[in-house]
Amino acid sequence: MHSQPSHQPPSLSAQQPSALRQDAASGLHYRVLSADTATAPQLLLLLLHGVGGNEGQLAALGQQLDARVRVVLVQAPLAFGPGQFGWFQVSFGAQGPSINPAQAEASRQQLQRLVASLQAECGLGAAQTVIAGFSQGGIMSAGLALTSSQLVGGFGLLSGRILPEIAPLLAAPQELAMLAGFISHGEFDDKLPLAWAEKAERWLSELGVPHQLQLYPAGHQLTAAMVQDFCHWLVARWLH
């Protein structure tokens, strides 16, 4: 197990979400986790929530990281109810999930513009940028990374899947080889069954994308163990 960063601030929970901001280039809204420190960020981390959630869903994950990480909590563009947002509409049937591909593609393009805006703002490039999310947020994170590998250095697919619809948009093999991926999935997931994680793992292997797969005795959820392992992976690779 990787050790915790040696110079974390005394209280990580001091990092509280900012007021909701809107990015002019993408139109997306987001909050930044900010700590009382002048530490210049070494890594930009975008966290994407699942369908029906909101930008606060992954705040607790972001608060496990110290001020070297600029954590951005992104709100999906489609409103499904009060405080409930999504990246695309999805329905579940006998053949598995069925999505609105036009919405998924529009959200992917918005995320491209947001990543570029945030990188310009904090002075970090693709090699110091990671995008990760839970469920539909993980789907969008993997989708962005695999199609726009020039924008990010890594991605986290937390209880999600990789959309087959992105196949025509995949980045070049030499760009994909520069990525790092982290997949976590519950073995008893009844929303996106384990087979989706196994499919993702096989596809990433075929594409030559370096990655690791971690399975847990859990359902469709983001457990403390998943959060801990993702944070350890992130710190070990980018902040060692």
Side-chain angles (χ1 to χ4, degrees):
M1 181 176 291
H2 303 294
S3 61
Q4 289 287 345
S6 59
H7 51 281
Q8 292 177 340
S11 174
L12 293 178
S13 61
Q15 300 184 78
Q16 296 300 325
S18 69
L20 199 63
R21 306 173 183 179
Q22 184 173 27
D23 172 58
S26 65
L28 291 173
H29 291 83
Y30 65 95
R31 300 180 192 271
V32 178
L33 282 187
S34 55
D36 296 327
T37 177
T39 303
Q42 299 176 31
L43 180 68
L44 173 63
L45 173 64
L46 287 80
L47 293 177
L48 279 52
H49 64 80
V51 64
N54 58 54
E55 73 282 355
Q57 187 178 46
L58 299 185
L61 186 159
Q63 289 167 339
Q64 298 300 309
L65 299 161
D66 66 47
R68 293 174 295 170
V69 185
R70 175 69 55 84
V71 178
V72 178
L73 309 171
V74 189
Q75 182 186 97
L78 303 174
F80 294 150
Q84 298 179 327
F85 301 88
W87 303 95
F88 53 85
Q89 290 175 311
V90 59
S91 59
F92 293 87
Q95 303 304 312
S98 176
I99 73 163
N100 182 316
Q103 291 174 342
E105 175 58 15
S107 290
R108 189 187 70 87
Q109 293 182 15
Q110 284 180 282
L111 284 169
Q112 287 177 321
R113 296 192 291 271
L114 176 63
V115 169
S117 293
L118 294 170
Q119 288 171 336
E121 181 183 303
C122 63
L124 295 173
Q128 293 81 40
T129 303
V130 175
I131 186 167
F134 171 71
S135 193
Q136 198 176 89
I139 290 172
M140 295 305 304
S141 297
L144 178 84
L146 296 172
T147 60
S148 305
S149 303
Q150 77 281 6
L151 282 177
V152 299
F155 65 94
L157 179 61
L158 314 177
S159 300
R161 67 186 182 108
I162 302 176
L163 294 181
E165 288 85 353
I166 69 169
L169 305 172
L170 290 171
Q174 62 268 29
E175 293 180 347
L176 292 172
M178 300 296 290
L179 286 173
F182 179 90
I183 307 172
S184 68
H185 213 94
E187 296 172 309
F188 311 121
D189 193 324
D190 60 351
K191 183 63 70 174
L192 290 174
L194 178 60
W196 287 110
E198 296 169 340
K199 288 179 184 178
E201 205 276 335
R202 286 195 300 270
W203 199 6
L204 293 178
S205 295
E206 292 169 4
L207 293 173
V209 177
H211 63 279
Q212 71 180 63
L213 170 64
Q214 300 275 119
L215 302 179
Y216 304 83
H220 189 68
Q221 59 193 128
L222 191 58
T223 67
M226 293 177 185
V227 168
Q228 183 182 56
D229 289 345
F230 171 75
C231 290
H232 283 166
W233 171 80
L234 194 76
V235 169
R237 186 167 185 90
W238 277 275
L239 300 173
H240 55 275

